[in-house]
Amino acid sequence: MARKQVKTKASVAIGGQKAVRAVPGAKSLPGGDSGVLQRLSYISWSKLTLWEHSKDEFRRVYIDGFKRESWAMDLGSRMAHAVENDEPSEDPIIEQGRMFLPKLKKQNFKIDVNCSVCPLTGKMDTFDPKTKKFRDHKTGKWPWTQKKVNDHGQITFYYYLIWLKYKKMPPKAWLDWINTDPESKDYGRVKSFPTVRSMTDLIKMHTRIKSAWAGISQLAKENGTRY
């Protein structure tokens, strides 16, 4: 069951309003190579989760410039392109996604904002600027469940970005999963899960971001003399 939205006075603890180019409260990283600093100068969902999962892998990607690639990442990228541009594909699973993944008014909608800690960026697969509702599209073999969706941090991260930019909580979001397992009877089928977040969830996300930014800043400082 999707969780009910809970109001709390603690929302002021995660404030931040300005655009990335001018944020008084955001902290800058110490000196070093401009390319490395650019890669370390903000937090995205993928950057946050990689930092939390493996500091060594984070260093490889964001300090050493190693490019992460996988079949799943490539499929997701091609799917997003086909859905955004309504571009037919010879790949049957891409074509299935193009035709049946739900869309809102804006595709691949990017938000750049700052919290009181650092710059943040995110790109929603599809977004309605009027209602602030959004949908996140997923491909993969492993089934999503309602509980997994309710606990999924990426949805919370996007809620946080929207709240920071518009000072309005989305009334609802969805995760739309297309089954890419050719051996499954549900191959190519889209399953949608509605979900909501509370202000308490956003405060917890802010805490995660704050912890990650402290570690990333220290990493940049330690590598400042190398570049």
Side-chain angles (χ1 to χ4, degrees):
M1 180 181 294
R3 291 173 290 183
K4 293 183 179 179
Q5 195 164 303
V6 179
K7 293 184 178 180
T8 173
K9 294 181 179 179
S11 61
V12 294
I14 57 173
Q17 299 181 31
K18 302 292 184 180
V20 168
R21 285 172 292 183
V23 185
K27 299 177 182 178
S28 60
L29 289 165
D33 177 79
S34 59
V36 174
L37 288 178
Q38 178 61 32
R39 293 195 292 271
L40 295 176
S41 64
Y42 63 90
I43 284 183
S44 63
W45 172 246
S46 59
K47 190 176 292 185
L48 175 63
T49 52
L50 184 59
W51 174 261
E52 293 175 335
H53 175 71
S54 171
K55 306 299 188 293
D56 289 339
E57 185 66 11
F58 186 95
R59 180 187 293 273
R60 288 184 68 207
V61 173
Y62 293 104
I63 296 294
D64 300 332
F66 176 78
K67 187 175 181 180
R68 300 176 76 206
E69 295 179 333
S70 70
W71 176 86
M73 293 171 67
D74 177 65
L75 176 63
S77 177
R78 290 189 293 122
M79 182 76 75
H81 178 82
V83 172
E84 178 183 10
N85 298 286
D86 195 22
E87 186 174 288
S89 172
E90 294 182 0
D91 186 323
I93 199 68
I94 297 290
E95 186 65 7
Q96 192 80 350
R98 181 184 73 85
M99 292 189 296
F100 295 110
L101 280 170
K103 292 183 181 180
L104 298 173
K105 293 186 177 180
K106 298 288 185 179
Q107 314 307 313
N108 279 334
F109 187 81
K110 187 178 181 184
I111 292 181
D112 295 315
V113 292
N114 284 269
C115 63
S116 58
V117 175
C118 65
L120 304 173
T121 189
K123 185 180 288 186
M124 280 149 279
D125 290 315
T126 183
F127 176 72
D128 185 337
K130 184 176 181 180
T131 66
K132 308 304 183 283
K133 295 177 181 178
F134 66 93
R135 310 186 79 105
D136 188 37
H137 296 159
K138 297 294 184 188
T139 58
K141 297 181 178 181
W142 305 110
W144 283 85
T145 65
Q146 188 65 58
K147 184 180 186 310
K148 281 178 65 176
V149 173
N150 288 346
D151 293 339
H152 189 42
Q154 187 172 10
I155 299 289
T156 312
F157 187 81
Y158 290 161
Y159 255 83
Y160 187 36
L161 294 182
I162 292 168
W163 186 85
L164 287 171
K165 185 173 181 66
Y166 300 104
K167 287 297 177 278
K168 182 178 179 180
M169 290 283 278
K172 187 185 292 186
W174 292 263
L175 186 145
D176 305 304
W177 167 60
I178 184 166
N179 188 325
T180 60
D181 182 2
E183 298 182 3
S184 169
K185 62 181 178 61
D186 292 325
Y187 177 63
R189 239 176 234 193
V190 174
K191 190 170 184 180
S192 297
F193 301 88
T195 188
V196 297
R197 296 295 184 268
S198 69
M199 186 60 72
T200 299
D201 294 320
L202 270 58
I203 292 170
K204 291 178 181 178
M205 177 56 65
H206 177 82
T207 300
R208 288 175 64 180
I209 291 168
K210 184 177 181 180
S211 176
W213 188 251
I216 292 169
S217 297
Q218 182 60 36
L219 179 66
K221 185 181 297 184
E222 291 171 356
N223 286 271
T225 58
R226 291 176 53 193
Y227 298 94

